[in-house]
Amino acid sequence: MTADTPRRTALAQRLAGLSPAQRAELERRLADRAPTAARGRPARIPPRTTGAGPLPLSWSQEHMWHRHRADPSGAAYSVPLKVRLEGDLRVDVLRAAFRDLIARHEILRTTFGESGGVPYQLVHDAPGAEVEHADLRDAEDAEAEVAARLAEEAARPYDLAEGPLFRAVLLRTADDVHVLSLVLHHILTDEQSTGLLLAQFVEAYDRRLHGLPAAAAPRLQYADYAVWQRAGQGDGAAAERLRRCVRRLSGMPAELSLPADRPRPPRPTGRGGAVGAGIGPDLWHRLRALARQERATEVMVLLAVFQTLLRQVSGQHDITVSLPEAGRDHPDLEDMLGCFFNTVAVRCDLSGTPGFRTLLGQVRARCLEAYDDRDVPFAKVVEAVTDRRAEHRHPLLQTMLIFEREGAGRPVEFAGLRMTPLQAPTGHRGARAKRDLTLAAVDQGDTARVDLVYDADLFDPATAQGLLDGYLALLSSLLADPDALTGPGRR
């Protein structure tokens, strides 16, 4: 298993699902995009010329730094990763493998300080993190003990200045069964990086077990990217792309009037919950068929329905939803560990009661515009659109739509072990609330699953369930009659 296998598999699955029209549109879009060198940036990202620090943060890291500073005791931006390891596990080899990974990647031994209100990062020589090990074979209820320990690890706050920001705990529940918990602050990682980290752990363990030397350090480290990104944001093309993003969001409502059960607290805590449901094969097939007919994608259809729901429950017609973006357009970044995620904002006007097919066309156009400028750091957009950082709520956008394809939960066999990722028991991403509402959809092949992750400071479970039920009812009715009016009004 190589480090880029999950990424290439997911990409192949996504491309295989495109219709000929969608492929043609993708090829046109790629052809229209200016190559990296044409934007005044080097074809390859150069290694930094400075040492270990202090070094600038990437824009994604700075966003995380500000959100952490707003609530330093919270764990909304902890990224937990849990796997079960079955077989003859060598604890000494596992610990050595993680030491190799930490030595290989500077980002895993980085902390963050500030000077005059400006954050910086420091790369340390010492590992900073060791794998804790606990034997629970004699526990009265090992499974309950594991669940409690994992919840405790995910909830532990971070000190960005002191670290470590990468924690690993190994729990033995039987002679041949262990549970490995990895928890990283989001300022170090993103979703693709967690998959890369697991894949590289497999490789490092196998090397150690067979007496092979550790894999060589990569040509570039994450701090090299942060320095390069900061330098590249000063050119004229980057400034124009930022201006386009700002124009698209200028004048948007300061807040979406969602049907909350409680007033918004002074600062978000990240405390969340999740409700979920399945989308059956018939409905999922109809969704895909409509997407093909309208030269759209599944996420565009899901987004159009979500915006319809938000219009109905808020009574507002100017609806903007955020979508996550991997932020790895440059080939030098494909296999690098770090925080690359970005956010794009899709704003639509639902005034005048448009038919759903018409709305879908608008959503498609707005999505393509947003993705043309997807490398513009969202933190810069927030700063340009708002007068100040709103620490009492999520910055600029309160809702998000996430779309993924299943595949990350499959077991992996290596070195006499079977590794199985463990899904969060409370729903998508452990139900940490990074927005007021996040609709997370997972393509499971012939079916799909949707989870509505909600801010528990604002919403009761029954309210969230009602919103999810309303979304599924809209999805079913609008797919049955795509020319039906989307309808105004508050539900």
Side-chain angles (χ1 to χ4, degrees):
M1 178 179 179
T2 60
D4 62 351
T5 297
R7 175 180 57 81
R8 289 178 176 171
T9 300
L11 179 60
Q13 290 173 342
R14 181 166 295 186
L15 292 175
L18 295 179
S19 68
Q22 289 170 332
R23 283 177 177 269
E25 178 71 15
L26 176 61
E27 290 170 0
R28 186 186 70 78
R29 286 273 165 181
L30 291 175
D32 287 345
R33 286 185 62 83
T36 302
R39 295 183 178 181
R41 298 182 184 179
R44 299 294 302 276
I45 298 176
R48 66 186 185 271
T49 56
T50 52
L55 296 162
L57 276 62
S58 72
W59 284 103
S60 295
Q61 284 181 319
E62 184 170 324
H63 171 76
M64 285 291 106
W65 185 84
H66 280 288
R67 300 315 298 167
H68 177 89
R69 190 175 68 164
D71 183 25
S73 62
Y77 291 97
S78 291
V79 180
L81 184 64
K82 303 176 284 291
V83 297
R84 176 179 288 108
L85 295 166
E86 298 171 272
D88 184 16
L89 176 68
R90 290 271 303 275
V91 176
D92 59 330
V93 174
L94 179 142
R95 282 179 161 154
F98 272 106
R99 284 195 295 271
D100 291 342
L101 287 177
I102 294 170
R104 185 181 183 191
H105 297 288
E106 291 179 352
I107 191 65
L108 299 179
R109 41 190 168 87
T110 296
T111 58
F112 300 83
E114 95 178 84
S115 176
V118 178
Y120 60 84
Q121 57 181 313
L122 290 171
V123 177
H124 301 271
D125 292 330
E130 284 288 342
V131 180
E132 299 180 31
H133 183 216
D135 193 335
L136 304 179
R137 284 178 292 179
D138 294 332
E140 184 174 341
D141 188 343
E143 291 299 320
E145 184 71 21
V146 166
R149 187 69 182 270
L150 295 182
E152 177 185 344
E153 287 298 317
R156 279 172 59 191
Y158 291 92
D159 185 331
L160 296 187
E162 292 295 325
L165 308 180
F166 168 52
R167 301 193 291 255
V169 175
L170 184 67
L171 306 174
R172 189 172 192 175
T173 60
D175 290 346
D176 60 350
V177 179
H178 291 75
V179 174
L180 175 65
S181 166
L182 308 177
V183 184
L184 298 84
H185 194 285
H186 208 339
I187 202 168
L188 302 186
T189 191
D190 57 19
E191 183 166 350
Q192 184 166 322
S193 290
T194 57
L196 291 170
L197 182 62
L198 269 186
Q200 292 186 20
F201 158 68
V202 168
E203 179 187 7
Y205 184 95
D206 192 67
R207 283 177 173 272
R208 278 285 183 171
L209 187 66
H210 294 95
L212 299 174
R219 182 182 73 88
L220 294 173
Q221 296 287 342
Y222 185 84
D224 301 323
Y225 159 74
V227 171
W228 171 81
Q229 185 194 47
R230 290 283 178 169
Q233 286 302 318
D235 64 31
E240 176 55 30
R241 292 195 297 277
L242 174 61
R243 283 192 290 269
R244 286 201 300 263
C245 291
V246 172
R247 282 197 298 268
R248 286 196 292 269
L249 299 182
S250 178
M252 64 178 288
E255 191 162 350
L256 189 62
S257 180
L258 296 172
D261 297 297
R262 285 169 293 281
R264 190 180 299 278
R267 290 182 177 179
T269 67
R271 190 174 63 90
V275 292
I279 298 178
D282 178 64
L283 192 59
W284 193 235
H285 172 77
R286 282 192 280 139
L287 185 150
R288 283 177 160 167
L290 179 63
R292 287 193 298 270
Q293 290 169 12
E294 301 302 316
R295 298 174 62 219
T297 63
E298 296 102 321
V299 70
M300 293 174 185
V301 179
L302 293 166
L303 176 58
V305 177
F306 192 33
Q307 290 185 314
T308 301
L309 174 73
L310 294 175
R311 181 204 183 165
Q312 292 186 354
V313 301
S314 69
Q316 298 167 241
H317 63 81
D318 189 344
I319 306 294
T320 306
V321 175
S322 58
L323 301 177
E325 160 60 28
R328 293 175 184 258
D329 280 351
H330 197 289
D332 284 349
L333 307 179
E334 291 179 347
D335 297 326
M336 185 184 290
L337 298 189
C339 178
F340 295 95
F341 84 95
N342 198 20
T343 299
V344 298
V346 180
R347 182 183 183 183
C348 288
D349 181 3
L350 280 76
S351 61
T353 316
F356 183 66
R357 198 185 301 271
T358 300
L359 174 61
L360 179 56
Q362 182 187 166
V363 168
R364 177 183 179 277
R366 299 293 86 79
C367 281
L368 292 175
E369 288 176 355
Y371 275 102
D372 272 349
D373 296 320
R374 62 186 177 274
D375 58 346
V376 177
F378 187 65
K380 288 181 71 68
V381 178
V382 172
E383 289 179 354
V385 173
T386 61
D387 294 331
R388 63 182 179 85
R389 278 181 198 277
E391 295 189 347
H392 71 292
R393 61 181 172 87
H394 306 291
L396 194 60
L397 301 177
Q398 300 156 246
T399 59
M400 174 172 276
L401 174 67
I402 298 173
F403 180 68
E404 300 169 347
R405 300 188 191 275
E406 195 174 58
R410 296 170 183 168
V412 174
E413 307 276 352
F414 70 100
L417 297 170
R418 179 181 176 86
M419 181 174 70
T420 306
L422 300 176
Q423 300 299 318
T426 53
H428 194 271
R429 294 204 188 354
R432 303 303 302 179
K434 298 181 179 66
R435 297 285 189 276
D436 292 355
L437 295 172
T438 298
L439 185 71
V442 181
D443 180 357
Q444 298 175 319
D446 293 331
T447 61
R449 176 176 176 81
V450 288
D451 290 298
L452 185 66
V453 181
Y454 59 91
D455 188 332
D457 291 333
L458 302 178
F459 300 99
D460 290 331
T463 302
Q465 185 64 58
L467 289 170
L468 180 62
D469 291 345
Y471 178 82
L472 294 173
L474 273 174
L475 180 66
S476 179
S477 63
L478 293 173
L479 289 179
D481 183 7
D483 294 308
L485 299 181
T486 50
R490 188 183 296 267
R491 292 176 67 88

